[in-house]
Amino acid sequence: MNKGIWNGIAAYAMWGVFPIYWKLLHEVPALQVIGHRISWSFLLLILYILLTRQWNAFRSAVLTPKTLGIYAIAGILLTVNWLVYVWGVNAGFIVETSLGYFINPLLSVLLGVLFLHERLRPAQWIPVILATVGVTYLTVAYGRLPWIALSLAFSFGFYGFVKKLAPLGSLYGLTLETGIVFPMALIYLAFVGSNGTGAFLHEGAGIDLLLIGAGVVTTIPLLMFASAARQIPLTVVGLLQYIAPTMQFLIGVFLYKEPFDRTHLIGFGIVWVALIIFWVENFTANRLPVEPIPELGEG
């Protein structure tokens, strides 16, 4: 139990400091960063499966048309989520990206109601409505729709929806997802490399190591999270999931000095109150957990 809690905290903490890592790659186009993240993640995951002698089990688990179709959709949604996140971080919108992951659990519940015919208790509608009010308020305050936050929330929400239908565990699932989009990522990276616009092998050893490391920082928290999810109650996982967006928010405001005035505080405050009500209601109603954020989508 204790080991599981520490693994969970470590995984979410790593996701929480992702903005710092991606900021180190701010000179590299976001699409190239994602191409490398997909490629190196897939290669490292395959290596891990081979080293742990799980190749035959992995191969037999994935070779069905239904499985491949589900994970093709999941891979596309995850790619979109990663791309928007990395672009948002490096464009100076870390605070807005954190908002996307704050509202994601509430959006996931709403998707369950709309598409899986799940029913909410009356008190559960309160945080959903509050979150909507918060986003609406921020839209008026920004003078624009917070499309980065909403893109992250919707892509990750639908990713979670697809994963509910998926038959594989987190390790095999992410390996298959990245494997399906790996050929496209490799073709794109080969193209930018051949026309001289690719950063890899052209911007110095430091950038090369960071691009390769994108796969490492993706797979390590995934494996830690997978271990934690097996060892601790989902109630605890549901609480831990807010570590990452909280850290991202604090990094955006205090480390990178992104704007956060009274208007932002009101909008975010409404969303935070909604999350508190949502979690407390779930915990006290029947001690069942909030559905955790799907593994690895963050960032």
Side-chain angles (χ1 to χ4, degrees):
M1 176 76 169
N2 288 336
K3 181 181 177 182
I5 291 174
W6 283 112
N7 276 334
I9 291 173
Y12 280 112
M14 289 185 69
W15 286 325
V17 298
F18 263 12
I20 298 175
Y21 192 91
W22 304 128
K23 279 285 190 183
L24 297 174
L25 288 164
H26 70 278
E27 295 181 356
V28 180
L31 196 56
Q32 289 189 38
V33 173
I34 297 308
H36 282 282
R37 186 179 185 185
I38 291 169
S39 300
W40 295 111
S41 295
F42 173 65
L43 294 174
L44 286 171
L45 287 164
I46 285 293
L47 180 62
Y48 179 83
I49 287 173
L50 289 173
L51 291 176
T52 54
R53 299 181 179 179
Q54 299 181 62
W55 173 252
N56 288 334
F58 171 70
R59 186 177 60 180
S60 61
V62 305
L63 292 180
T64 67
K66 181 180 178 181
T67 300
L68 291 173
I70 289 173
Y71 282 98
I73 297 171
I76 293 170
L77 288 169
L78 193 60
T79 300
V80 170
N81 183 269
W82 285 357
L83 179 61
V84 173
Y85 182 79
V86 171
W87 182 90
V89 165
N90 287 337
F93 296 103
I94 296 174
V95 171
E96 189 174 334
T97 63
S98 73
L99 175 64
Y101 291 115
F102 276 125
I103 65 177
N104 177 73
L106 299 175
L107 179 63
S108 295
V109 167
L110 192 58
L111 290 175
V113 172
L114 294 175
F115 296 105
L116 298 178
H117 307 293
E118 297 175 356
R119 300 183 65 181
L120 293 184
R121 295 180 292 274
Q124 289 179 304
W125 283 104
I126 297 174
V128 172
I129 294 170
L130 275 176
T132 303
V133 171
V135 172
T136 303
Y137 179 87
L138 287 170
T139 299
V140 175
Y142 283 147
R144 63 170 179 83
L145 195 68
W147 68 269
I148 297 173
L150 293 177
S151 296
L152 291 173
F154 274 92
S155 60
F156 212 48
F158 277 104
Y159 174 75
F161 171 74
V162 171
K163 294 285 274 188
K164 274 184 171 290
L165 309 174
L168 304 180
S170 57
L171 173 62
Y172 290 2
L174 187 68
T175 304
L176 183 54
E177 290 160 15
T178 52
I180 288 172
V181 293
F182 172 70
M184 292 181 287
L186 198 61
I187 291 171
Y188 169 72
L189 292 176
F191 172 74
V192 296
S194 64
N195 67 16
T197 60
F200 192 64
L201 301 179
H202 293 91
E203 299 293 336
I207 294 296
D208 293 345
L209 290 174
L210 287 170
L211 289 172
I212 295 172
V216 177
V217 300
T218 295
T219 55
I220 289 179
L222 162 73
L223 297 175
M224 297 181 76
F225 178 87
S227 175
R230 290 191 299 268
Q231 296 169 325
I232 61 179
L234 286 179
T235 311
V236 179
V237 176
L239 181 59
L240 294 181
Q241 70 180 349
Y242 298 111
I243 292 175
T246 300
M247 291 179 63
Q248 293 164 7
F249 167 79
L250 294 174
I251 287 171
V253 173
F254 294 106
L255 182 59
Y256 294 109
K257 309 298 181 183
E258 291 189 5
F260 191 77
D261 56 21
R262 182 185 173 195
T263 301
H264 295 88
L265 179 60
I266 293 172
F268 271 76
I270 294 172
V271 174
W272 290 331
V273 169
L275 288 173
I276 292 170
I277 294 172
F278 181 63
W279 190 85
V280 171
E281 196 281 336
N282 267 275
F283 184 79
T284 57
N286 51 16
R287 299 299 178 95
L288 289 177
V290 178
E291 284 290 333
I293 295 176
E295 310 92 10
L296 254 289
E298 296 199 41

